[in-house]
C-alpha cells in the first residue's frame, strides 16, 4: 500500500529534479542529471577538424546548444527557441557566451553535408559552431543520452553545469529557461 503512494512521487522526482544552486532555484530537465556540478573544459573540434577547447570556459557563463543534427533538421520547439534567441537577443550579454556544438556521433548524415549547412548558418548569423565527433562533451560532462536531442546547457563561469534541457520545452520550461539565462547573462 505504501509503495503505491510512494512510486508516483519517485517518478515525478526522476522526471524533473529541482535543486538549489547559489540560493537560486535551477531546474535540470533530465532524468539522468541530478544536480548542478563542476565540469572541466574539454577539447572538441572546430569545423575544420582542428582540436579546440570550449571557448570562454572559466571566463564567461556559457549557453551551449548541444545538437544532434537529426533533431536540428527535424525542427521542433528547441530549434525554434534557438531561432527566437537569435532574433530577440535574450541570450546575449556581457557575462554570457552562446555557441553551438554539433553532436556528430548520433547522426547518420554525412559530415560534409552537415558542415555545409553549418557554414551557411554561420554566414547568416556569425555564430560559433563546433563539433563533437566522439561524444567528448556528452561523456566528459555526464550528459547521458543526447541522441535526437537539441539540448540547452548552461555552465557558470565558475565551471558549474547549472542547467540542462534535452527535451522540447513547454511554456513553464521556457519561462524557467529565460529566468536562468537572465541570471547568467548580466
Amino acid at each position: 500500500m505504501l509503495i503505491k503512494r510512494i512510486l508516483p512521487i519517485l517518478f515525478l522526482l526522476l522526471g524533473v529534479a529541482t535543486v538549489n544552486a547559489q540560493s537560486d532555484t535551477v531546474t535540470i530537465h533530465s532524468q539522468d542529471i541530478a544536480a548542478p556540478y563542476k565540469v572541466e573544459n574539454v577539447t572538441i573540434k572546430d569545423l575544420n577538424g582542428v582540436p579546440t577547447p570550449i571557448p570562454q570556459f572559466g571566463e564567461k557563463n556559457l549557453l551551449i546548444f548541444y545538437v544532434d543534427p537529426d533533431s536540428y533538421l527535424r525542427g521542433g520547439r528547441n530549434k525554434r527557441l534557438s531561432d527566437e534567441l537569435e532574433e530577440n537577443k535574450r541570450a546575449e550579454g556581457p557575462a554570457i557566451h552562446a555557441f553551438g556544438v554539433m553532436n556528430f556521433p548520433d547522426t547518420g548524415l554525412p559530415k560534409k553535408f552537415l558542415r555545409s549547412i553549418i557554414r551557411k548558418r554561420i554566414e547568416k548569423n556569425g555564430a560559433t559552431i563546433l563539433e563533437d565527433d566522439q561524444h567528448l562533451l556528452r561523456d566528459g560532462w555526464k550528459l547521458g543520452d543526447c541522441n535526437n536531442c537539441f539540448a540547452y546547457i548552461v555552465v557558470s563561469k565558475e565551471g558549474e553545469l547549472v542547467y540542462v534541457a534535452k527535451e522540447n520545452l513547454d511554456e513553464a520550461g521556457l519561462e524557467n529557461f529565460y529566468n536562468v539565462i537572465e541570471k547568467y547573462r548580466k
Side-chain angles (χ1 to χ4, degrees):
M1 208 55 167
L2 181 61
I3 299 231
K4 284 184 178 181
R5 284 186 269 172
I6 293 174
L7 277 178
I9 295 169
L10 288 174
F11 287 126
L12 179 64
L13 290 173
L14 286 173
V16 177
T18 302
V19 296
N20 189 9
Q22 299 175 356
S23 76
D24 290 322
T25 299
V26 176
T27 302
I28 306 296
H29 292 269
S30 175
Q31 292 181 348
D32 47 10
I33 299 174
Y37 54 87
K38 286 290 234 184
V39 294
E40 299 293 324
N41 199 345
V42 295
T43 298
I44 51 179
K45 295 181 180 175
D46 67 14
L47 292 180
N48 296 316
V50 176
T52 184
I54 298 294
Q56 303 288 317
F57 188 91
E59 298 170 32
K60 289 190 173 190
N61 300 308
L62 305 175
L63 169 58
I64 302 168
F65 307 98
Y66 190 61
V67 182
D68 176 341
D70 301 328
S71 175
Y72 178 83
L73 294 173
R74 202 172 34 254
R77 181 64 193 120
N78 283 10
K79 194 256 185 227
R80 288 191 304 275
L81 176 58
S82 167
D83 295 339
E84 182 181 305
L85 289 168
E86 186 178 323
E87 291 175 20
N88 69 21
K89 312 285 189 226
R90 287 183 67 183
E92 295 179 12
I96 196 163
H97 178 64
F99 61 95
V101 177
M102 291 290 111
N103 171 6
F104 279 162
D106 286 334
T107 185
L109 298 170
K111 286 185 186 180
K112 185 175 181 177
F113 166 73
L114 294 170
R115 286 184 182 119
S116 71
I117 292 172
I118 295 166
R119 284 188 174 95
K120 287 177 186 171
R121 179 95 175 162
I122 291 169
E123 287 173 15
K124 176 184 173 196
N125 64 14
T128 299
I129 303 177
L130 305 171
E131 63 181 64
D132 181 356
D133 65 352
Q134 297 177 345
H135 285 144
L136 297 172
L137 186 64
R138 182 199 73 178
D139 295 346
W141 289 3
K142 299 178 178 91
L143 298 175
D145 184 13
C146 293
N147 189 25
N148 293 315
C149 292
F150 192 119
Y152 290 90
I153 304 167
V154 177
V155 176
S156 71
K157 67 181 173 182
E158 293 79 28
E160 186 174 55
L161 188 143
V162 296
Y163 180 90
V164 174
K166 291 197 248 179
E167 74 276 354
N168 285 321
L169 298 173
D170 59 15
E171 289 305 313
L174 285 172
E175 183 178 336
N176 183 56
F177 170 77
Y178 277 122
N179 288 336
V180 170
I181 291 302
E182 193 61 32
K183 174 184 171 187
Y184 287 99
R185 73 186 195 118
K186 295 179 180 180

